[in-house]
Amino acid sequence: MTFCTKKIIFFFVLYAFVFCTKLQSQKLFSLSSDSLKDIESIIVKENNPKKEDTSVVKKRLAFLSKSSDKKNNILYSALLANGYAAFFDKINPKSEHYYLQSIQEAKRSKDLSLIIWTQLNYSKYLYFYCQIDKLIPIVLQTMEETNQIDPSEMILPAETFQFFGWIMFTVEDESALDFLKKSMQYMKKPSSESASVLNAIGNCYFKNKDITNAMHYLDKSEAMALKIGDSVRYAKVLGDKALIYEKKGNINTAVNLLKQDIAYSQKFKIEKNEMYASILLAKIQLKINNKNEAEKILERAGEIAGTKSYYRSSLKEVIELKLMLLNGNLQKELILRRQLKQLDEYLLKTNGNTVLRRSNWLIQKNKYENETKQIRSQLEQGERIRNISILILISTILSSAIAYTFLVKRLDTKRVKVEEYESDRLIFEEKLKDASSNIDSYAEDLQNKDKQILSLEDELEGIKSFAAKQSEEDKSKLQEMLSSHLVTDENWSAFKREFINQYSDFYNAIIENFPQLKESNLRIIMLQKLNLNNYEMSTLLGVTVDAVKKSKQRLKKKLGDKYELLFEIIEYK
């Protein structure tokens, strides 16, 4: 079969798929106005979930899971996914499972408003944790689906268009302004959300170098924030205004506004905003050659940036600024550059740099829009198959030619960098392998000690049988050998340090969620994390198997309802 024949068959299959998809979409429906209000009230109550035990979230949402109404079951899966995301504060399999389950259930219900909302809910999770590759196709699909429904029939249309605006602003797409202004049309009253949208519109104009409109909308956002008493939004507006004053050359005003922003952020414990404002202030201090002040600010910004994996792009900024402050300290520069390389490696696997991310977005977005418009316009006319095939073929040839030219130029300039990254990646993986092997060797050593203890115990039994023939000195030596294989305080301290180094997230989660635990409890939990059974634990700790079982029973009684949470942390941290 020739290449041309394969391509023709492909386009016929594509046409059939799109045609069937359109027929299927015509069967979709939306919620009634009363049902819509009920769902929105539930979602609004659960917006911005706080970190809390997932068992508490499940109990609070139990009325949704027990409902005979499928819509409530869908909400349960989606909101529970948000609860797990807030608890683990990172990409995790539990959230992923419930997000995808809610989307699948919504599609089975053929309720377009629920389909759009569940996909949007998942998209926010992916955006927050920088999973750009997964995010792109879902958001583009969701945007297209919003064209098939009246906004008044959507769940929280203002929030939906606001999110689209944020995404498009991030990738510097001109449609960001339209989405944000559309969001304002569905804001029912002055609120923190409407102040946030006005703020975002101001930033859009600033990015487009329209200083007048930028300041106009930031003023409106500031006025609304003061009116409703939203100090957090007020602080963020001050930081954004600082950028405008800096652009105008009014450095003193910019510095004062950023200091106010940081003060508010510290007062209300908004670390993320404090970090962003501190980085901006450090940049200005560097411009005016105030290096001592910039260094102090960057220390605090670096502390915050190091607390979350999704702050690593900001941590990279901090390190780059610190490098600019160095004055011939080669050792410190070497450390910072190593950190920078590791961050680059991580960012290449997640959100990457802005230029690459924007290019990827625009290519996929334009391709999706062009193919959709071509296919839809041809489906509405008479000669569907022939015209669609011709148009898509032309579009494919042109896009392939453009893509080929683009890739050739790009590959020529990036080949050396790719080789460097590959070399650095291999070095990093080797270091990671060395680091991770330490705790594994500890676990293996602990299990080997079981076998040694059994052998020594057999020897002692033999000695007891032939006591007349064996001196007390020999028996004493064997007893010492047996004792040395038990987990002494010194051995345990060394093991614990290595365990915390390898399983820091797990250990911190245990300490944070169960402060009442004693050291004896921690020993049982840490050995259980390494999949040791009761017998292996008893021989290592120098106690009976029954003693280990009783320790576990006392632990279960102590934790009560939170015992289930302990095993969720052991399994997923």
Side-chain angles (χ1 to χ4, degrees), residues 32 40 53 79 155-156 190 232 247 254 263 276 401 407 435 524-525 533:
S32 65
E40 287 183 340
D53 291 354
L79 296 175
I155 298 171
L156 301 172
V232 174
K247 189 78 173 177
Y276 289 151
L407 286 171
I524 294 294
I525 291 170
N533 59 36

Side-chain angles (χ1 to χ4, degrees), residues 328-345:
N329 190 332
L330 296 178
Q331 184 177 1
K332 193 171 183 180
E333 181 180 356
L334 181 61
I335 293 171
L336 290 175
R337 292 201 179 278
R338 284 175 179 169
Q339 292 175 356
L340 199 59
K341 281 190 175 183
Q342 292 178 356
L343 285 170
D344 282 334
E345 178 72 21

